[in-house]
Amino acid sequence: MKKLITLFIAVLVTLSAYSQGNSGMSLEQKQILDGSWYKESPESGKIGIDLQGAKDLLKKRKMKKVPVVALIGTGADIEHEALKNSVWVNPKEKADGKDNDNNGYADDINGWNFIGSKDGSSMEFGIQEANREWLRLKDKYADILFDGKRYFKYENGVRVYIAAPEDIEEFNYFTKIIRERDGSLSGLYGGYIIAFLVKEYTQEWDKEIQLKFPGKTRKEITSDEFFAAVYDKNGPQDSLKNIALTLVSLYSSFGKTMRNNPNYVTTWSDIYENFTDRQIKYAKESYDKIFEKNSKDDRQAVVGDDPYNIEDTKYGNNTVLTGASLSGTMFSGIIAGQDVNGKGFSGIIPEAKIMNLVTSAQSGDPYLKDIALAVRYAVNKGADIIVLPQQSLLYHSVQKSWVYDAIRDAENKGILVIAPAWEKSENMDTRAYYPRREDYKGKPMTNIMIVANSDSKGNPSPMSNYGKYNLDTYVPGVNIYSTAPGDIYRTGTSSSMGAVVTAGAAAFIKAYFPELTGSQIRELLINSVTSKRGTEIEKSVIHNGKQITDLFLFEQLCTSSGILNLRNSVEAALKNMK
């Protein structure tokens, strides 16, 4: 019996050890350890920022400054157990319903919600910037076509030539929106307008066909006979006619599939009937259906401002916890989360303070006006580092000036501005994303830092954007453990996490070297990386509109040729002080 009891106890101990892992850790502790890889030293086998190495270099020094990081995005759960002591507090404001600091925002104790209503709620639904900008300019330009010489539109189905647009720069911007095709509305409405064009050519071709095939009905003329009759590759080329022919060709090639008959021969009658009436009706119905879903946000109903008037600033509320705050809560924890239960979780610099500025709803893209005002708010309230939402493909020249003027103010105050690159596998040296480092009003923007995610093996995230000149560096940002709303924790990945880790690293440097400007911190971070120069990387990229896998040297992917390393940056800062 004694042996049986001993064996039973041994089994319990074994099972207990198994449930906690070989090191005696609980599942939660293992998740924390695995999800904190981004802090590790590259020598550990995990290509992290080497937070402990940075701390060791500074163990005889004291922090000289409590850094403030402004997160412009979704807001956060500022009452989370690991965050409540890391929340920025406006020293000149108190909760009394008044604007004590006279900045236009009453009771902005911990930041501001730029998409909030007067009753304390927040805008939930937005639309993509491409759709929003297209809709803003639709009535002026969406019906206009250009034949290479003259502008025209269709009125009651008839081509009518018109004068060139008065604001040709704005018109060209509008055509860029259509080319980007990030929004669905422009493509569908463009298909509707092009359907009138194809109808016009179809009616002209029908006259040609009748002359070339006298006595034959439309059903007796095959699509091959039609193309041979109307297309002359050696004759004068009409670009719009060629577009129409391409669409007809696509329709013709699908004839067998549409009818589920491999022997079916598409006739001129099929083409004529489809493109004289049916296609216009179908294109309009498709556009109307998507318009209902993708054309409206609740800004006017909730916020009530004019989003295209930068002087209209008296809007929003002080509620920084929103329905979209999961990401912002995780970002806050990565930067400044505190270990409140002894299980080992903490952010990069728990001493930092997080200023939350809400600009992003649960869907759609943030308005550039909100981003510009949020940057100005952060500048005026003494932020040291600002993290923006993801870059954008579309910056209208006027709205771009709002954002760039605000970032210039940040530069003049010595503030680093970090922007996450998109995860679209695109080369940012050939396709412009904004904001980016470029000359503005005759002077370079030196305080903007553009970063993308890397994983624990030091590889760029598969879908990350890249660019030798327009991406500064890769930063650990995949599968990271952090805080989530409601006093819980989770592991997650976001295209913005590398930017947030960068903000934490920058805040760490600012705490010990407050004399460094944002531009100097940027230089320090990108010149002190874990070098991957000479390393061959397989990377997903977009080539000729298709996604492929290509082989690169790491130095072809970003300016730094490596992965952000905080320890190396601190070491370089110490050397520069001597």
Side-chain angles (χ1 to χ4, degrees), residues 136-269:
R136 182 173 69 87
L137 299 170
K138 170 185 176 293
D139 292 343
K140 292 174 71 173
Y141 304 120
D143 294 338
I144 298 177
L145 294 171
F146 183 60
D147 66 5
K149 295 180 180 179
R150 292 181 292 176
Y151 294 90
F152 66 95
K153 61 172 60 177
Y154 286 95
E155 295 181 0
N156 297 319
V158 178
R159 183 186 296 206
V160 176
Y161 287 98
I162 59 174
E166 291 184 12
D167 190 339
I168 198 66
E169 181 180 347
E170 187 175 68
F171 177 75
N172 290 336
Y173 169 75
F174 183 79
T175 60
K176 180 184 178 182
I177 298 173
I178 298 172
R179 289 196 306 272
E180 299 296 357
R181 290 290 176 90
D182 256 21
S184 56
L185 292 176
S186 64
L188 288 171
Y189 191 83
Y192 169 62
I193 297 301
I194 290 297
F196 286 98
L197 179 79
V198 182
K199 178 180 180 179
E200 179 185 359
Y201 280 110
T202 299
Q203 291 172 330
E204 291 181 7
W205 290 328
D206 191 54
K207 295 175 183 177
E208 292 182 44
I209 292 295
Q210 297 302 325
L211 292 174
K212 291 187 178 182
F213 298 97
K216 274 192 173 185
T217 65
R218 292 185 182 121
K219 289 186 177 181
E220 294 172 325
I221 302 169
T222 68
S223 59
D224 288 342
E225 289 175 320
F226 155 69
F227 286 114
V230 303
Y231 180 64
D232 180 4
K233 66 179 180 179
N234 297 317
Q237 297 299 302
D238 177 341
S239 60
L240 294 181
K241 178 180 179 181
N242 288 341
I243 290 173
L245 276 171
T246 299
L247 293 173
V248 170
S249 176
L250 286 171
Y251 174 80
S252 177
S253 66
F254 289 141
K256 295 180 175 62
T257 303
M258 288 186 292
R259 291 167 177 82
N260 197 27
N261 181 357
N263 299 314
Y264 186 83
V265 176
T266 303
T267 67
W268 171 240
S269 177

Side-chain angles (χ1 to χ4, degrees), residues 403-461:
V403 177
Y404 273 31
D405 284 341
I407 294 175
R408 179 72 83 198
D409 284 349
E411 181 183 35
N412 293 336
K413 293 286 183 67
I415 301 169
L416 176 65
V417 177
I418 305 166
W422 273 89
E423 297 254 333
K424 288 194 173 183
S425 303
E426 293 195 316
N427 185 350
M428 296 191 295
D429 292 342
T430 58
R431 194 179 193 201
Y433 278 76
Y434 304 96
R436 59 179 183 157
R437 286 181 291 103
E438 59 182 320
D439 286 352
Y440 179 63
K441 295 184 177 179
K443 182 181 176 184
M445 306 281 283
T446 64
N447 66 325
I448 301 177
M449 188 169 180
I450 313 298
V451 303
N453 291 346
S454 58
D455 64 19
S456 62
K457 295 180 180 179
N459 295 318
S461 59

